Amino acid sequence: MFSKIFEKSMMRVGFIGAGQMAQTLAKGIIIGELAQPEKILCSCPRVDVQLLEQMRKLGCRTTADNGDVAEHARVLILAIKPPVVPSVLKEITQYITPQHLVISVAMGITTRQIEQVLPPKSRVIRVMPNTPALVREGCSVFSCGKNILEEDPGLAHKIFSSVGICDQIEEDLLDAVTGLSGSGPAYAYMAIEALADGGVKMGIRRDLAVKLAAQTLLGSAKMVLDTQQHPGSLKDDVCSPAGTSIQAVHELEKSGFRSALISAVESATRRSKETGGMLS
């Protein structure tokens, strides 16, 4: 049960940052009827006029003043890059009250780091979304700071579920989530590109090869989610004795395919931790 401040007619949302993630979340909030467009205020530098125009097309209000957004909002979403987080927090801290819920999607920045800059008892949630949220197929994972209210996790879940799936997790695992699902779309795009290249090498025209590769990954992912079977079991179902699939899997194993993906997640996780450490 959400408090009255989170009712659609009253909920005031602010975005600091107007890039793709802010635009995506604003769309989700509006489509999900979590807030009326005119109750959403967004800020970014005046030079990024095109980003502000995109937010206005959604019916949101815009400004170049981060303080205006912080003062307006009760749910304040920091959709900015990690290096600018410290300066933005110092800029808005005078406006933050116990009535604010501050949600950060900045990679590597912990709730504790944010709480140390904001006033005592500030309510903070950290989220790691990913870019497929742009097509409402994202996966987001969040963790909560030490001062949240009972309804805050539910609200965060509702906001990020409007653009895909969402789960809560312990904060010490969020860097690993960054390495897996946060950076994961890049691995998937490389796989699609490589599969398409293989198809082209074997004579398939480029546009069809890309379409087949992308749909293959999409369908395979849906099979995992819908059947809830282990991916290894589904792989075995495709690999007939002495067939083409098991021959191909053998080649992937010889090339270190699985090991490369595991290493990619590990490396991205380390980089996420380093990012937060640089701002300590």
Side-chain angles (χ1 to χ4, degrees):
M1 180 71 69
F2 299 130
S3 64
K4 288 187 176 181
I5 197 171
F6 299 137
E7 292 177 0
K8 177 188 173 185
S9 61
M10 301 176 65
M11 181 169 158
R12 303 201 305 272
V13 180
F15 286 93
I16 295 182
Q20 282 192 331
M21 188 54 65
Q23 294 173 30
T24 297
L25 291 172
K27 288 178 185 176
I29 287 169
I30 293 167
I31 292 172
E33 299 187 341
L34 303 180
Q36 297 167 337
E38 62 271 20
K39 295 290 182 68
I40 300 175
L41 180 62
C42 176
S43 67
C44 76
R46 293 187 188 280
V47 294
D48 296 324
V49 62
Q50 291 182 332
L51 297 180
L52 294 176
E53 178 59 29
Q54 290 299 316
M55 295 297 283
R56 285 194 288 270
K57 286 181 179 179
L58 297 175
C60 305
R61 297 185 295 118
T62 63
T63 178
D65 190 325
N66 293 334
D68 286 347
V69 176
E71 194 169 23
H72 157 85
R74 287 300 172 264
V75 178
L76 180 61
I77 300 176
L78 306 179
I80 51 180
K81 299 294 185 182
V84 301
V85 169
S87 61
V88 168
L89 290 177
K90 290 177 182 177
E91 184 180 354
I92 66 172
T93 185
Q94 62 181 309
Y95 302 101
I96 302 301
T97 72
Q99 283 70 50
H100 284 83
L101 173 61
V102 178
I103 298 176
S104 170
V105 299
M107 180 190 73
I109 310 300
T110 67
T111 57
R112 184 171 180 270
Q113 287 172 312
I114 296 172
E115 289 167 348
Q116 286 177 330
V117 180
L118 296 181
K121 303 298 183 182
S122 291
R123 296 152 51 205
V124 179
I125 288 180
R126 174 186 171 193
V127 187
M128 173 45 60
N130 66 2
T131 55
L134 293 167
V135 291
R136 303 191 75 189
E137 291 292 348
C139 50
S140 302
V141 177
F142 71 93
S143 61
C144 299
K146 61 183 181 181
N147 302 314
I148 59 164
L149 301 180
E150 183 179 354
E151 63 261 30
D152 290 344
L155 177 61
H157 185 273
K158 203 169 184 66
I159 290 172
F160 286 87
S161 292
S162 71
V163 292
I165 65 171
C166 182
D167 281 285
Q168 185 174 358
I169 200 171
E170 297 85 358
E171 186 165 10
D172 60 0
L173 293 175
L174 269 186
D175 291 312
V177 170
T178 301
L180 174 56
S181 57
S183 301
Y187 321 151
Y189 299 141
M190 291 179 70
I192 291 170
E193 182 183 32
L195 286 170
D197 284 347
V200 171
K201 182 179 181 180
M202 294 296 103
I204 302 172
R205 70 178 192 271
R206 171 67 63 180
D207 62 332
L208 180 57
V210 171
K211 184 178 181 179
L212 292 173
Q215 182 63 36
T216 296
L217 263 70
L218 175 64
S220 300
K222 188 169 176 56
M223 284 281 288
V224 172
L225 293 174
D226 288 359
T227 67
Q228 297 188 9
Q229 291 187 51
H230 191 282
S233 175
L234 293 171
K235 180 264 296 176
D236 289 348
D237 291 342
V238 180
C239 293
S240 303
T244 59
S245 297
I246 193 63
Q247 181 73 24
V249 166
H250 184 206
E251 291 299 320
L252 291 174
E253 293 287 11
K254 286 194 293 185
S255 299
F257 178 72
R258 289 195 286 190
S259 179
L261 286 174
I262 292 169
S263 294
V265 174
E266 182 182 20
S267 181
T269 299
R270 287 199 303 266
R271 181 56 181 163
S272 179
K273 290 180 179 179
E274 290 168 0
T275 300
M278 288 189 295
L279 299 176
S280 298

